[in-house]
Amino acid sequence: MTDNHLQQRRALSLLHTSDCHLGTSPARRQEAAFAAAMDLAISEEVDAVIISGDLFDHNRVSDDVLSWAAEQLARLSCPAVMIAGNHDAHPETSVLHRFSPHIQDFPITILDSLEGTTTHLPELDLTVWGKSMDDHHPGFHPLDGLPDRPEEGWCVAMGHGLVMDDETPSYRSSPIYPSHLDALDWDYVALGHIHRHMVIRESPSVVAYSGATAESLEGDPAVLLVTLDPDSGVSLTLRELTPSPVA
C-alpha cells in the first residue's frame, strides 16, 4: 500500500468491546456496563462498534435479554459488527440464531461463517473480517483463513481466543499462536476472550484484547476506543464506564 493511498484514508474511531456476557445473572451488572458502553459510543460519535465475541453469556438467555440487547444496539447511529465467542458459539443451537431476527432492521452484522468472512462498510472505507466459532476446542484457530488485506481502506480483523506465548502445541481451546500474528498485515486485530484489557502487539499490526465490558479495567467496567488515523496510525484508549443500574 502506497503512502499516497494512506493519506487518502479518512480517520475513523471505533469502539471495541467483547465478553459482554449479557444474561449472566439477575443483578444485571453486565447489562449496566453494556448500556454504558452504548452511551459512550453515542457521546463519542464513533464510526463503528466492534464486538469480538460473547455478547451473550450462554445459548439459553431469555427472549427478554435478546430484545433488550437489540434495543441497546438500535440506539447507535453507526454500524456494528460482531462474531460469536465460546459462550455463544455458532452451532445450530446458538443464541445468535435467535438474536438475528431482533436486529434485521439495523446496520448490525454478525460474521457467522465458520471459514471466515468479511463485510465492507463503504461509507467508512472499512473492511472487517471475522470467523465464527462452531465449538471451543484446541483445533479451532480464530485467525486461520484470514485473507490478504484489501488494497484500499482500513482493515480490521476480529478473533475470539487465547494468544499463546510460543508455537508449542497446546491443550488450550481456540489458541492463537505467534505464527498467526506474524502473518498479519491488517491495521488492527480486535480480540476477545480475555477479560482484562491487554495490548499484545503494536507492530506490524496492532493486536489487543478489549477486555470484558464489565471488568476490563482492573475489574471495573471499560471499553477500548480505537483511532485509525492516516497520519499517526492506530492508537488505543481504554475508557472507564460509569454504569447506572438496569431494572
Side-chain angles (χ1 to χ4, degrees), residues 170-194:
S170 174
Y171 68 91
R172 303 297 297 271
S173 294
S174 304
I176 300 171
Y177 292 104
S179 57
H180 296 145
L181 301 179
D182 292 342
L184 295 174
D185 62 351
W186 287 49
D187 297 300
Y188 180 58
V189 182
L191 297 181
H193 189 51
I194 300 299

Short mmCIF file of all heavy atoms in Angstrom, two decimals, residues 170-194:
data_model
loop_
_atom_site.label_atom_id
_atom_site.label_comp_id
_atom_site.label_asym_id
_atom_site.label_seq_id
_atom_site.Cartn_x
_atom_site.Cartn_y
_atom_site.Cartn_z
N SER A 170 -0.85 -26.82 22.13
CA SER A 170 -1.49 -26.61 23.42
C SER A 170 -2.79 -27.38 23.52
O SER A 170 -3.48 -27.62 22.52
CB SER A 170 -1.78 -25.11 23.61
OG SER A 170 -2.51 -24.88 24.79
N TYR A 171 -3.13 -27.76 24.75
CA TYR A 171 -4.44 -28.35 25.03
C TYR A 171 -5.48 -27.25 25.21
O TYR A 171 -6.68 -27.53 25.29
CB TYR A 171 -4.37 -29.19 26.30
CG TYR A 171 -4.13 -28.36 27.56
CD1 TYR A 171 -5.21 -27.87 28.31
CD2 TYR A 171 -2.85 -28.04 27.98
CE1 TYR A 171 -5.00 -27.09 29.42
CE2 TYR A 171 -2.64 -27.26 29.10
CZ TYR A 171 -3.71 -26.79 29.82
OH TYR A 171 -3.50 -26.01 30.92
N ARG A 172 -5.04 -26.00 25.25
CA ARG A 172 -5.97 -24.90 25.46
C ARG A 172 -6.83 -24.71 24.22
O ARG A 172 -6.39 -24.88 23.09
CB ARG A 172 -5.22 -23.59 25.78
CG ARG A 172 -4.31 -23.68 26.99
CD ARG A 172 -5.08 -23.94 28.28
NE ARG A 172 -5.99 -22.87 28.62
CZ ARG A 172 -5.65 -21.83 29.35
NH1 ARG A 172 -4.41 -21.69 29.80
NH2 ARG A 172 -6.55 -20.90 29.64
N SER A 173 -8.08 -24.32 24.45
CA SER A 173 -9.02 -24.16 23.35
C SER A 173 -8.84 -22.83 22.63
O SER A 173 -8.46 -21.83 23.24
CB SER A 173 -10.45 -24.28 23.86
OG SER A 173 -10.70 -25.59 24.34
N SER A 174 -9.12 -22.83 21.33
CA SER A 174 -9.08 -21.63 20.48
C SER A 174 -7.75 -20.88 20.61
O SER A 174 -7.73 -19.67 20.87
CB SER A 174 -10.26 -20.71 20.80
OG SER A 174 -11.48 -21.41 20.68
N PRO A 175 -6.62 -21.58 20.39
CA PRO A 175 -5.32 -20.92 20.53
C PRO A 175 -5.00 -20.01 19.34
O PRO A 175 -5.39 -20.27 18.21
CB PRO A 175 -4.33 -22.09 20.60
CG PRO A 175 -4.99 -23.16 19.77
CD PRO A 175 -6.48 -23.01 20.03
N ILE A 176 -4.28 -18.94 19.64
CA ILE A 176 -3.74 -18.04 18.63
C ILE A 176 -2.22 -18.04 18.82
O ILE A 176 -1.71 -17.52 19.82
CB ILE A 176 -4.31 -16.61 18.78
CG1 ILE A 176 -5.83 -16.61 18.64
CG2 ILE A 176 -3.68 -15.67 17.75
CD1 ILE A 176 -6.48 -15.28 19.00
N TYR A 177 -1.51 -18.65 17.88
CA TYR A 177 -0.07 -18.80 18.01
C TYR A 177 0.66 -17.59 17.43
O TYR A 177 0.11 -16.85 16.60
CB TYR A 177 0.38 -20.08 17.31
CG TYR A 177 -0.09 -21.34 18.00
CD1 TYR A 177 -1.16 -22.07 17.49
CD2 TYR A 177 0.50 -21.76 19.18
CE1 TYR A 177 -1.61 -23.22 18.13
CE2 TYR A 177 0.06 -22.92 19.83
CZ TYR A 177 -1.00 -23.63 19.29
OH TYR A 177 -1.44 -24.76 19.94
N PRO A 178 1.92 -17.36 17.88
CA PRO A 178 2.67 -16.24 17.33
C PRO A 178 2.76 -16.25 15.80
O PRO A 178 2.75 -15.18 15.18
CB PRO A 178 4.06 -16.41 17.96
CG PRO A 178 3.77 -17.08 19.27
CD PRO A 178 2.63 -18.02 18.98
N SER A 179 2.82 -17.44 15.20
CA SER A 179 2.88 -17.51 13.74
C SER A 179 1.63 -16.95 13.09
O SER A 179 1.68 -16.39 11.98
CB SER A 179 3.11 -18.95 13.28
OG SER A 179 2.08 -19.81 13.77
N HIS A 180 0.48 -17.09 13.77
CA HIS A 180 -0.75 -16.50 13.24
C HIS A 180 -0.64 -14.97 13.22
O HIS A 180 -1.08 -14.31 12.27
CB HIS A 180 -1.96 -16.90 14.09
CG HIS A 180 -2.24 -18.37 14.09
ND1 HIS A 180 -2.73 -19.04 15.19
CD2 HIS A 180 -2.11 -19.30 13.12
CE1 HIS A 180 -2.88 -20.31 14.90
NE2 HIS A 180 -2.52 -20.49 13.64
N LEU A 181 -0.05 -14.42 14.27
CA LEU A 181 0.09 -12.96 14.34
C LEU A 181 1.19 -12.46 13.42
O LEU A 181 1.08 -11.36 12.86
CB LEU A 181 0.37 -12.54 15.79
CG LEU A 181 -0.70 -12.92 16.82
CD1 LEU A 181 -0.28 -12.45 18.21
CD2 LEU A 181 -2.06 -12.35 16.45
N ASP A 182 2.26 -13.26 13.24
CA ASP A 182 3.35 -12.85 12.35
C ASP A 182 2.87 -12.66 10.92
O ASP A 182 3.45 -11.86 10.17
CB ASP A 182 4.46 -13.90 12.37
CG ASP A 182 5.19 -13.97 13.70
OD1 ASP A 182 5.08 -13.01 14.49
OD2 ASP A 182 5.86 -14.99 13.95
N ALA A 183 1.83 -13.41 10.55
CA ALA A 183 1.36 -13.39 9.16
C ALA A 183 0.42 -12.21 8.87
O ALA A 183 0.02 -12.02 7.73
CB ALA A 183 0.65 -14.70 8.84
N LEU A 184 0.07 -11.44 9.90
CA LEU A 184 -0.93 -10.40 9.73
C LEU A 184 -0.35 -9.13 9.13
O LEU A 184 0.77 -8.72 9.47
CB LEU A 184 -1.55 -10.05 11.08
CG LEU A 184 -2.37 -11.14 11.77
CD1 LEU A 184 -2.77 -10.68 13.16
CD2 LEU A 184 -3.61 -11.47 10.96
N ASP A 185 -1.13 -8.49 8.27
CA ASP A 185 -0.77 -7.14 7.84
C ASP A 185 -2.01 -6.23 7.84
O ASP A 185 -2.03 -5.21 7.17
CB ASP A 185 -0.11 -7.15 6.46
CG ASP A 185 -1.02 -7.68 5.37
OD1 ASP A 185 -2.11 -8.20 5.69
OD2 ASP A 185 -0.64 -7.59 4.19
N TRP A 186 -3.05 -6.62 8.60
CA TRP A 186 -4.24 -5.78 8.73
C TRP A 186 -3.94 -4.69 9.76
O TRP A 186 -3.04 -4.83 10.59
CB TRP A 186 -5.44 -6.64 9.13
CG TRP A 186 -5.93 -7.50 8.00
CD1 TRP A 186 -5.18 -8.30 7.19
CD2 TRP A 186 -7.28 -7.63 7.54
NE1 TRP A 186 -5.97 -8.93 6.27
CE2 TRP A 186 -7.27 -8.54 6.45
CE3 TRP A 186 -8.49 -7.08 7.94
CZ2 TRP A 186 -8.42 -8.89 5.77
CZ3 TRP A 186 -9.65 -7.43 7.25
CH2 TRP A 186 -9.61 -8.33 6.18
N ASP A 187 -4.71 -3.61 9.71
CA ASP A 187 -4.40 -2.46 10.57
C ASP A 187 -4.59 -2.76 12.05
O ASP A 187 -3.76 -2.38 12.88
CB ASP A 187 -5.28 -1.26 10.17
CG ASP A 187 -5.01 -0.80 8.76
OD1 ASP A 187 -3.86 -0.41 8.48
OD2 ASP A 187 -5.94 -0.83 7.94
N TYR A 188 -5.68 -3.44 12.37
CA TYR A 188 -5.99 -3.69 13.78
C TYR A 188 -6.61 -5.07 13.92
O TYR A 188 -7.41 -5.48 13.08
CB TYR A 188 -6.97 -2.63 14.31
CG TYR A 188 -7.35 -2.82 15.76
CD1 TYR A 188 -6.38 -2.83 16.75
CD2 TYR A 188 -8.68 -2.98 16.14
CE1 TYR A 188 -6.72 -3.01 18.09
CE2 TYR A 188 -9.03 -3.15 17.47
CZ TYR A 188 -8.04 -3.17 18.44
OH TYR A 188 -8.38 -3.37 19.76
N VAL A 189 -6.22 -5.78 14.98
CA VAL A 189 -6.78 -7.09 15.29
C VAL A 189 -7.49 -6.97 16.63
O VAL A 189 -6.85 -6.76 17.67
CB VAL A 189 -5.70 -8.18 15.33
CG1 VAL A 189 -6.33 -9.54 15.61
CG2 VAL A 189 -4.93 -8.21 14.01
N ALA A 190 -8.82 -7.09 16.60
CA ALA A 190 -9.68 -6.89 17.77
C ALA A 190 -9.99 -8.25 18.39
O ALA A 190 -10.76 -9.03 17.84
CB ALA A 190 -10.97 -6.19 17.35
N LEU A 191 -9.39 -8.52 19.55
CA LEU A 191 -9.53 -9.83 20.17
C LEU A 191 -10.53 -9.82 21.32
O LEU A 191 -10.74 -8.80 21.98
CB LEU A 191 -8.17 -10.31 20.70
CG LEU A 191 -7.07 -10.54 19.66
CD1 LEU A 191 -5.81 -11.04 20.36
CD2 LEU A 191 -7.52 -11.52 18.59
N GLY A 192 -11.12 -10.98 21.55
CA GLY A 192 -11.97 -11.23 22.70
C GLY A 192 -11.58 -12.54 23.35
O GLY A 192 -10.82 -13.33 22.81
N HIS A 193 -12.08 -12.75 24.56
CA HIS A 193 -11.93 -13.98 25.37
C HIS A 193 -11.25 -13.70 26.69
O HIS A 193 -11.65 -14.23 27.72
CB HIS A 193 -11.21 -15.10 24.62
CG HIS A 193 -11.24 -16.41 25.34
ND1 HIS A 193 -12.41 -16.98 25.84
CD2 HIS A 193 -10.25 -17.30 25.66
CE1 HIS A 193 -12.13 -18.14 26.41
NE2 HIS A 193 -10.83 -18.34 26.33
N ILE A 194 -10.20 -12.88 26.69
CA ILE A 194 -9.55 -12.48 27.94
C ILE A 194 -10.31 -11.30 28.52
O ILE A 194 -10.63 -10.34 27.81
CB ILE A 194 -8.07 -12.11 27.70
CG1 ILE A 194 -7.32 -13.30 27.12
CG2 ILE A 194 -7.42 -11.64 28.99
CD1 ILE A 194 -7.29 -14.51 28.01
#
